Amino acid sequence: MASNKSSEIEILRYSDRYREQSMEVLRKSFFQNEMVCIGAEVNLTPQAQKDLEQLCLDVANGGVSLIARHKPTDTIVGVSFNVLQTPSGPEDANYFEQFRDTKCKTDSSRALMQYMITMDAKVNLFERFNVKCLLEIMFLATLPNYEGQGAGTLLVAESVRLAEKLKSGQAVPTSSSSEAFDKPQLVSALFTSRKSQRVGEKVGFTVINQVPHSEFVYKGKTFTDRIGPEHPFSTLVVKHI
């Protein structure tokens, strides 16, 4: 039963102690199986994967990422790399744009970053919901052998709970020694597969935008050409806290 299995999984704040295992979850799951990674051929481009590992490590330094630990084996089986986002000025590049322009060494990783930038630009969540900070669930992944045991749902639910605690002052980013940090008022995510979209529904997210994968092109093929018809679109979702 999934419920028995999920009781063997605990959600922890990310720490460097679990850095290598967390990267292994990305290498074995996210980079190989995530829809946009397939669409942008990250799954076929080792350097692009290294670029995006660096993105996750940079984000982890922000102190709001979570990991799922299988207690019986002390194995990290899932990750949720989360980032606190604030509005950028009209002349300023946002965090993802800066990363694309300064850290990405491959067309593949740049294409994935451009996807995120394009999706974010379609709806200005700060203006739409009159908020000054949000927690974005950026990369969510579970090891293939542990899928169906509830780790992804637990990671998303605990990300929301962490955002609520950050907002109320009950928690601080692990990188912060004081309360001088931006407190989120909203949680957002881009879900690219039917599976992650169902997780979002389960945890109570609201769909704000839905964009077909056929809209994104890499090396003359749409993302849909590589992904196939089973996962036709990405959704931008939010949850109020």
Side-chain angles (χ1 to χ4, degrees), residues 1-69:
M1 291 285 290
S3 57
N4 294 336
K5 291 289 188 183
S6 64
S7 68
E8 296 181 346
I9 293 170
E10 67 173 344
I11 306 301
L12 305 170
R13 304 284 288 272
Y14 172 88
S15 73
D16 274 343
R17 173 188 171 192
Y18 291 112
R19 171 175 169 165
E20 188 55 30
Q21 283 200 61
S22 299
M23 294 300 102
E24 276 298 295
V25 176
L26 292 176
R27 292 167 193 151
K28 291 179 178 176
S29 175
F30 190 84
F31 297 147
Q32 301 306 317
N33 303 322
E34 198 279 331
M35 294 306 136
V36 173
C37 285
I38 294 169
E41 291 193 345
V42 171
N43 59 325
L44 305 177
T45 315
Q47 181 59 52
Q49 296 171 27
K50 289 178 183 173
D51 293 348
L52 298 170
E53 279 186 39
Q54 187 59 55
L55 173 68
C56 290
L57 291 172
D58 289 355
V59 162
N61 287 336
V64 294
S65 294
L66 300 176
I67 51 179
R69 173 180 168 267

Side-chain angles (χ1 to χ4, degrees), residues 4 10 43 68 72 111 138-139 168 170 195 208 214 226 236:
N4 294 336
E10 67 173 344
N43 59 325
M138 186 187 74
F139 287 173
S168 68
Q170 292 176 272
K195 195 179 298 180
I208 300 300
S214 56
R226 296 188 182 92
L236 170 65

